[in-house]
Amino acid sequence: MKQHSIFYNFIMNAILTMSSFIFPLITFPYVSRILLPEGTGKVSFAASIVNYFLLLAQLGIPTYGIRTCAKIREDKDKLNKTIQEIFKISFIMCIFSYTIFLILLYCVPRLWQEKELMLVTSTSILFTTIGVEWVFKALEMYSYITWRSVAFKCIALAAMFLLIHGQEDYIIYGAVSIFASSASNILNFVYLHQLVDLKNHYKLELSNHIKPIFIFFAMTCATTVYLNMDTTMLGFMKTDMDVGYYNAAVKIKTILVSIVSSLGAVLLPRVTVYIENNDQQKFRNISVKAMQFVLFVAIPMMVYFILFAKPCVLLLSGTEYENAILPMQLMMPTLLCIGLTNIMGMQIMVPLGREIKVLVSVVIGAVVDLLLNIVLISRYSVAGAAIGTMVAEIAVLIYQYLSDNKLFYSLFCQLHIWKIVLSTIFASCVSSQFIKWEKNNITILIVSSICFVAVYLGSLIFLRETSIMELANMMKKKRY
């Protein structure tokens, strides 16, 4: 199988990221105005509940599967056996997860009152299990992953406008959202038979995978808990309307985080191979470039969307969502924190076999988020949940850095942060004059963003900042 360059994989993942950005950018303004905060809040609450059971079904396998299969991808026989072993564990956990889900659905009145929506949303558990996307990522098949996902999102886009016409259509919205994100995994299951000889029956040794899988499960569990905890606690402590406000802010944050994390997502299999081959120089070089990319994208994006949160929220969600503006601003520092911890934790520490330290960091984040939510949601509602998320991500970043400060200090010393910060300040000063501009929201965002990006990139070019020079070289040489 042809192995593409990291640059090619980055472009494919960037296209995938942009499709994930464009889909909600087009649909959410339409859907949010029809379903209103209460309708979108119901779907968001259902998704937050199902995510816990999806977490149980996956059992940390997505990350573990990528790392394990990437190490042995050149040994076809060993790869086939390993995939069958991991998939069998995944399918067993899928059945177990559905069993617990159905019991709780029947026993908890808050869930039973929206049983149809819950059942529709829960199909993501099955789709994700049979999708085995970790196999395709381990083999670095990002072209296939990207075009498959884009095709299904286009179908879902048409369905969203054709099928959702009233506030009572929130269940349809939930179904179409699942179709856009998960239904394409059916193709994965079909295509898997061309990659793996599933007819060859090996003596499966499941026990070899249990301990490392549970380490990754604990890590993913802690992460998922504090990513979904805000929405879940708001749903129980406040109203569907509050969840709707928070969901509007989270959707924008999620889109931006996916852009910041687009490079890091393709690095795990390649970094794992470098470490397996003991190629320390390539490992360090690619780690520094990835961290520099995060700073290059996250710092200006964070500042811009703090300044222009109001027109952004009102454009995407409507005037009914003004209460989402402050939470969005409070969440923006998480772009930088998540971008860095994604590289430091999943792309550096995990391939080095230091997943226990990553686990501790996300557990700290979950505990911090839980404690702050208990105190702040009751008093400050949506804004309190946003503060909890922000502080939790900062705590994760600090712990990861301190847990291996010698390694990260040496990597951070090679970064040129001051040039990015200075360029961001220049861009902010120029674009800030448009904050109180008496124009419609889309005009404000278009003009201000063009000015911001032009001044930012112009300043970086003038300062000859490393990221902009590296980006130019990547475009020319297409190699790493």
Side-chain angles (χ1 to χ4, degrees), residues 10-11 14 162 165 171 185 190 205 302 304-306 319 325 392 440 450:
F10 165 67
I11 293 297
L162 289 173
H165 303 293
I171 296 178
N185 286 326
V190 175
E205 301 171 287
M302 172 184 70
Y304 176 83
F305 283 97
I306 288 175
T319 55
I325 295 171
N440 59 59
I450 290 174

PDB file of all heavy atoms in Angstrom, residues 10-11 14 162 165 171 185 190 205 302 304-306 319 325 392 440 450:
ATOM      1  N   PHE A  10      -1.882  15.600   5.970  1.00  0.00           N
ATOM      2  CA  PHE A  10      -2.357  16.837   6.596  1.00  0.00           C
ATOM      3  C   PHE A  10      -3.387  17.538   5.709  1.00  0.00           C
ATOM      4  O   PHE A  10      -4.418  18.007   6.185  1.00  0.00           O
ATOM      5  CB  PHE A  10      -1.170  17.773   6.858  1.00  0.00           C
ATOM      6  CG  PHE A  10      -1.575  19.186   7.169  1.00  0.00           C
ATOM      7  CD1 PHE A  10      -2.254  19.488   8.334  1.00  0.00           C
ATOM      8  CD2 PHE A  10      -1.298  20.217   6.286  1.00  0.00           C
ATOM      9  CE1 PHE A  10      -2.643  20.789   8.623  1.00  0.00           C
ATOM     10  CE2 PHE A  10      -1.677  21.518   6.566  1.00  0.00           C
ATOM     11  CZ  PHE A  10      -2.350  21.805   7.737  1.00  0.00           C
ATOM     12  N   ILE A  11      -3.117  17.585   4.391  1.00  0.00           N
ATOM     13  CA  ILE A  11      -4.067  18.209   3.465  1.00  0.00           C
ATOM     14  C   ILE A  11      -5.391  17.465   3.493  1.00  0.00           C
ATOM     15  O   ILE A  11      -6.470  18.078   3.542  1.00  0.00           O
ATOM     16  CB  ILE A  11      -3.500  18.231   2.028  1.00  0.00           C
ATOM     17  CG1 ILE A  11      -2.281  19.160   1.953  1.00  0.00           C
ATOM     18  CG2 ILE A  11      -4.563  18.672   1.036  1.00  0.00           C
ATOM     19  CD1 ILE A  11      -2.580  20.608   2.266  1.00  0.00           C
ATOM     20  N   ALA A  14      -7.071  18.193   6.661  1.00  0.00           N
ATOM     21  CA  ALA A  14      -7.546  19.584   6.641  1.00  0.00           C
ATOM     22  C   ALA A  14      -8.863  19.686   5.868  1.00  0.00           C
ATOM     23  O   ALA A  14      -9.786  20.411   6.274  1.00  0.00           O
ATOM     24  CB  ALA A  14      -6.492  20.490   6.016  1.00  0.00           C
ATOM     25  N   LEU A 162     -34.290  19.440   3.726  1.00  0.00           N
ATOM     26  CA  LEU A 162     -35.501  18.822   3.180  1.00  0.00           C
ATOM     27  C   LEU A 162     -36.435  18.307   4.271  1.00  0.00           C
ATOM     28  O   LEU A 162     -37.660  18.299   4.087  1.00  0.00           O
ATOM     29  CB  LEU A 162     -35.126  17.659   2.249  1.00  0.00           C
ATOM     30  CG  LEU A 162     -34.480  18.033   0.909  1.00  0.00           C
ATOM     31  CD1 LEU A 162     -34.021  16.771   0.179  1.00  0.00           C
ATOM     32  CD2 LEU A 162     -35.454  18.817   0.044  1.00  0.00           C
ATOM     33  N   HIS A 165     -38.500  21.189   9.308  1.00  0.00           N
ATOM     34  CA  HIS A 165     -39.319  22.365   8.992  1.00  0.00           C
ATOM     35  C   HIS A 165     -40.010  22.976  10.210  1.00  0.00           C
ATOM     36  O   HIS A 165     -40.532  24.085  10.130  1.00  0.00           O
ATOM     37  CB  HIS A 165     -40.388  21.991   7.955  1.00  0.00           C
ATOM     38  CG  HIS A 165     -39.831  21.409   6.687  1.00  0.00           C
ATOM     39  ND1 HIS A 165     -39.073  22.135   5.797  1.00  0.00           N
ATOM     40  CD2 HIS A 165     -39.904  20.151   6.187  1.00  0.00           C
ATOM     41  CE1 HIS A 165     -38.706  21.361   4.786  1.00  0.00           C
ATOM     42  NE2 HIS A 165     -39.202  20.153   4.990  1.00  0.00           N
ATOM     43  N   ILE A 171     -36.083  15.342  16.579  1.00  0.00           N
ATOM     44  CA  ILE A 171     -35.629  13.950  16.482  1.00  0.00           C
ATOM     45  C   ILE A 171     -35.010  13.697  15.106  1.00  0.00           C
ATOM     46  O   ILE A 171     -33.995  12.993  14.984  1.00  0.00           O
ATOM     47  CB  ILE A 171     -36.792  12.973  16.749  1.00  0.00           C
ATOM     48  CG1 ILE A 171     -37.290  13.131  18.179  1.00  0.00           C
ATOM     49  CG2 ILE A 171     -36.349  11.525  16.497  1.00  0.00           C
ATOM     50  CD1 ILE A 171     -38.483  12.247  18.526  1.00  0.00           C
ATOM     51  N   ASN A 185     -19.529   4.873   8.401  1.00  0.00           N
ATOM     52  CA  ASN A 185     -18.749   3.751   8.918  1.00  0.00           C
ATOM     53  C   ASN A 185     -19.215   2.408   8.360  1.00  0.00           C
ATOM     54  O   ASN A 185     -18.482   1.417   8.431  1.00  0.00           O
ATOM     55  CB  ASN A 185     -18.818   3.718  10.449  1.00  0.00           C
ATOM     56  CG  ASN A 185     -17.973   4.806  11.081  1.00  0.00           C
ATOM     57  OD1 ASN A 185     -16.930   5.161  10.568  1.00  0.00           O
ATOM     58  ND2 ASN A 185     -18.438   5.345  12.188  1.00  0.00           N
ATOM     59  N   VAL A 190     -17.481  -2.677   5.088  1.00  0.00           N
ATOM     60  CA  VAL A 190     -17.458  -3.371   3.802  1.00  0.00           C
ATOM     61  C   VAL A 190     -16.045  -3.372   3.227  1.00  0.00           C
ATOM     62  O   VAL A 190     -15.537  -4.403   2.759  1.00  0.00           O
ATOM     63  CB  VAL A 190     -18.440  -2.708   2.806  1.00  0.00           C
ATOM     64  CG1 VAL A 190     -18.324  -3.347   1.428  1.00  0.00           C
ATOM     65  CG2 VAL A 190     -19.873  -2.817   3.328  1.00  0.00           C
ATOM     66  N   GLU A 205      -5.861 -14.127  20.883  1.00  0.00           N
ATOM     67  CA  GLU A 205      -5.339 -13.943  22.233  1.00  0.00           C
ATOM     68  C   GLU A 205      -5.770 -12.570  22.749  1.00  0.00           C
ATOM     69  O   GLU A 205      -5.013 -11.604  22.732  1.00  0.00           O
ATOM     70  CB  GLU A 205      -3.811 -14.072  22.222  1.00  0.00           C
ATOM     71  CG  GLU A 205      -3.327 -15.423  21.714  1.00  0.00           C
ATOM     72  CD  GLU A 205      -1.816 -15.470  21.505  1.00  0.00           C
ATOM     73  OE1 GLU A 205      -1.341 -14.851  20.526  1.00  0.00           O
ATOM     74  OE2 GLU A 205      -1.132 -16.109  22.323  1.00  0.00           O
ATOM     75  N   MET A 302      -7.861  32.303  18.773  1.00  0.00           N
ATOM     76  CA  MET A 302      -8.386  32.523  20.117  1.00  0.00           C
ATOM     77  C   MET A 302      -8.720  33.999  20.333  1.00  0.00           C
ATOM     78  O   MET A 302      -9.814  34.345  20.785  1.00  0.00           O
ATOM     79  CB  MET A 302      -7.356  32.046  21.140  1.00  0.00           C
ATOM     80  CG  MET A 302      -7.663  32.367  22.581  1.00  0.00           C
ATOM     81  SD  MET A 302      -6.311  31.843  23.679  1.00  0.00           S
ATOM     82  CE  MET A 302      -5.017  33.023  23.226  1.00  0.00           C
ATOM     83  N   TYR A 304      -9.083  36.454  18.045  1.00  0.00           N
ATOM     84  CA  TYR A 304     -10.080  36.985  17.105  1.00  0.00           C
ATOM     85  C   TYR A 304     -11.498  36.639  17.558  1.00  0.00           C
ATOM     86  O   TYR A 304     -12.388  37.504  17.551  1.00  0.00           O
ATOM     87  CB  TYR A 304      -9.839  36.433  15.695  1.00  0.00           C
ATOM     88  CG  TYR A 304     -10.911  36.877  14.713  1.00  0.00           C
ATOM     89  CD1 TYR A 304     -10.839  38.132  14.098  1.00  0.00           C
ATOM     90  CD2 TYR A 304     -12.006  36.066  14.435  1.00  0.00           C
ATOM     91  CE1 TYR A 304     -11.833  38.559  13.233  1.00  0.00           C
ATOM     92  CE2 TYR A 304     -12.996  36.483  13.567  1.00  0.00           C
ATOM     93  CZ  TYR A 304     -12.913  37.727  12.965  1.00  0.00           C
ATOM     94  OH  TYR A 304     -13.899  38.152  12.107  1.00  0.00           O
ATOM     95  N   PHE A 305     -11.725  35.397  17.966  1.00  0.00           N
ATOM     96  CA  PHE A 305     -13.088  34.993  18.318  1.00  0.00           C
ATOM     97  C   PHE A 305     -13.505  35.461  19.704  1.00  0.00           C
ATOM     98  O   PHE A 305     -14.694  35.429  20.033  1.00  0.00           O
ATOM     99  CB  PHE A 305     -13.252  33.483  18.150  1.00  0.00           C
ATOM    100  CG  PHE A 305     -13.413  33.082  16.708  1.00  0.00           C
ATOM    101  CD1 PHE A 305     -12.328  32.631  15.981  1.00  0.00           C
ATOM    102  CD2 PHE A 305     -14.640  33.195  16.084  1.00  0.00           C
ATOM    103  CE1 PHE A 305     -12.466  32.287  14.640  1.00  0.00           C
ATOM    104  CE2 PHE A 305     -14.789  32.853  14.756  1.00  0.00           C
ATOM    105  CZ  PHE A 305     -13.706  32.393  14.021  1.00  0.00           C
ATOM    106  N   ILE A 306     -12.565  35.884  20.527  1.00  0.00           N
ATOM    107  CA  ILE A 306     -12.942  36.586  21.750  1.00  0.00           C
ATOM    108  C   ILE A 306     -13.462  37.980  21.388  1.00  0.00           C
ATOM    109  O   ILE A 306     -14.489  38.439  21.891  1.00  0.00           O
ATOM    110  CB  ILE A 306     -11.748  36.687  22.723  1.00  0.00           C
ATOM    111  CG1 ILE A 306     -11.436  35.327  23.335  1.00  0.00           C
ATOM    112  CG2 ILE A 306     -12.049  37.695  23.844  1.00  0.00           C
ATOM    113  CD1 ILE A 306     -10.202  35.306  24.223  1.00  0.00           C
ATOM    114  N   THR A 319     -30.596  35.729  17.070  1.00  0.00           N
ATOM    115  CA  THR A 319     -30.659  36.650  18.211  1.00  0.00           C
ATOM    116  C   THR A 319     -31.137  35.970  19.491  1.00  0.00           C
ATOM    117  O   THR A 319     -30.906  36.488  20.582  1.00  0.00           O
ATOM    118  CB  THR A 319     -31.599  37.819  17.889  1.00  0.00           C
ATOM    119  OG1 THR A 319     -32.885  37.300  17.497  1.00  0.00           O
ATOM    120  CG2 THR A 319     -31.040  38.668  16.749  1.00  0.00           C
ATOM    121  N   ILE A 325     -22.917  34.189  24.028  1.00  0.00           N
ATOM    122  CA  ILE A 325     -21.750  35.009  23.675  1.00  0.00           C
ATOM    123  C   ILE A 325     -20.661  34.937  24.743  1.00  0.00           C
ATOM    124  O   ILE A 325     -19.499  34.644  24.456  1.00  0.00           O
ATOM    125  CB  ILE A 325     -22.178  36.473  23.429  1.00  0.00           C
ATOM    126  CG1 ILE A 325     -23.105  36.554  22.207  1.00  0.00           C
ATOM    127  CG2 ILE A 325     -20.942  37.359  23.210  1.00  0.00           C
ATOM    128  CD1 ILE A 325     -23.748  37.912  22.014  1.00  0.00           C
ATOM    129  N   ALA A 392     -10.242  23.565  33.574  1.00  0.00           N
ATOM    130  CA  ALA A 392      -9.874  22.144  33.482  1.00  0.00           C
ATOM    131  C   ALA A 392      -8.814  21.922  32.405  1.00  0.00           C
ATOM    132  O   ALA A 392      -7.849  21.177  32.609  1.00  0.00           O
ATOM    133  CB  ALA A 392     -11.113  21.300  33.187  1.00  0.00           C
ATOM    134  N   ASN A 440     -24.297  44.579   9.163  1.00  0.00           N
ATOM    135  CA  ASN A 440     -24.799  43.254   9.523  1.00  0.00           C
ATOM    136  C   ASN A 440     -23.645  42.341   9.927  1.00  0.00           C
ATOM    137  O   ASN A 440     -22.488  42.598   9.605  1.00  0.00           O
ATOM    138  CB  ASN A 440     -25.618  42.643   8.376  1.00  0.00           C
ATOM    139  CG  ASN A 440     -24.805  42.499   7.098  1.00  0.00           C
ATOM    140  OD1 ASN A 440     -23.782  41.821   7.079  1.00  0.00           O
ATOM    141  ND2 ASN A 440     -25.252  43.144   6.024  1.00  0.00           N
ATOM    142  N   ILE A 450     -10.681  39.403   7.221  1.00  0.00           N
ATOM    143  CA  ILE A 450      -9.721  39.674   6.135  1.00  0.00           C
ATOM    144  C   ILE A 450      -8.613  40.605   6.638  1.00  0.00           C
ATOM    145  O   ILE A 450      -7.424  40.361   6.400  1.00  0.00           O
ATOM    146  CB  ILE A 450     -10.433  40.280   4.914  1.00  0.00           C
ATOM    147  CG1 ILE A 450     -11.324  39.223   4.242  1.00  0.00           C
ATOM    148  CG2 ILE A 450      -9.415  40.829   3.907  1.00  0.00           C
ATOM    149  CD1 ILE A 450     -12.179  39.768   3.115  1.00  0.00           C
TER     150      ILE A 450
END
